[in-house]
Amino acid sequence: MNDSAINFKVTKLRAQVDEPVMLRWRGTEVDAGALTVELDKNVSGTGNQGALDYSRRRARAEFHVCLSFPDLASTLGSLDVDHELTQPLRAVIHSEGEILDDHSFVLSGGCDLQPHALFPREETMASVLPGL
């Protein structure tokens, strides 16, 4: 390990987007409600980690998450649809960003989505955009 690099583990992550997320399904826009993002509890400890490289002033992290739409899942569940349609969408986020002067960092990057019955890979994409 480089003296200017610090490895870390991502141990907690919970975010919620309260503004409705609009999904296009079968040509129709559907209000999926809020989006919740949490660490995937089914992933081993080696799956959520990163490094701070102070020599380059760059941070990077990879973490496994579950993306869920609680309102949409509840609505679909009440319609007695296939259980697979209401499951969280699992993904791996690969992110990086600049280490700032106060030692904080802002990460952004792509997201590899796992197969899901409601979100086909060829039609679905996700990414983490830089924050403010």
Side-chain angles (χ1 to χ4, degrees):
M1 179 174 107
N2 181 330
D3 285 340
S4 62
I6 299 170
N7 294 318
F8 64 89
K9 289 185 181 256
V10 179
T11 59
K12 286 188 178 183
L13 172 69
R14 178 157 169 69
Q16 182 166 317
V17 178
D18 290 322
E19 295 96 31
V21 176
M22 300 304 291
L23 302 176
R24 181 167 294 283
W25 189 51
R26 296 183 177 176
T28 303
E29 284 212 353
V30 177
D31 178 351
L35 167 66
T36 300
V37 181
E38 296 180 281
L39 279 184
D40 188 342
K41 296 174 179 85
N42 296 329
V43 174
S44 71
T46 61
N48 300 308
Q49 57 189 346
L52 303 174
D53 183 346
Y54 278 92
S55 67
R56 294 181 38 234
R57 299 192 60 79
R58 298 296 294 167
R60 67 172 174 71
E62 174 183 297
F63 39 101
H64 299 249
V65 295
C66 289
L67 309 167
S68 60
F69 298 91
D71 298 337
L72 179 61
S74 176
T75 299
L76 292 174
S78 70
L79 297 172
D80 206 24
V81 300
D82 184 339
H83 179 66
E84 290 296 313
L85 295 174
T86 64
Q87 294 302 301
L89 175 60
R90 289 182 157 66
V92 180
I93 297 173
H94 307 278
S95 58
E96 63 178 71
E98 179 183 6
I99 298 174
L100 304 176
D101 290 337
D102 67 357
H103 302 282
S104 65
F105 46 93
V106 178
L107 300 174
S108 63
C111 192
D112 294 330
L113 303 172
Q114 301 299 314
H116 190 280
L118 189 60
F119 301 102
R121 277 183 167 173
E122 62 276 1
E123 298 175 17
T124 308
M125 61 181 279
S127 61
V128 176
L129 302 175
L132 301 176

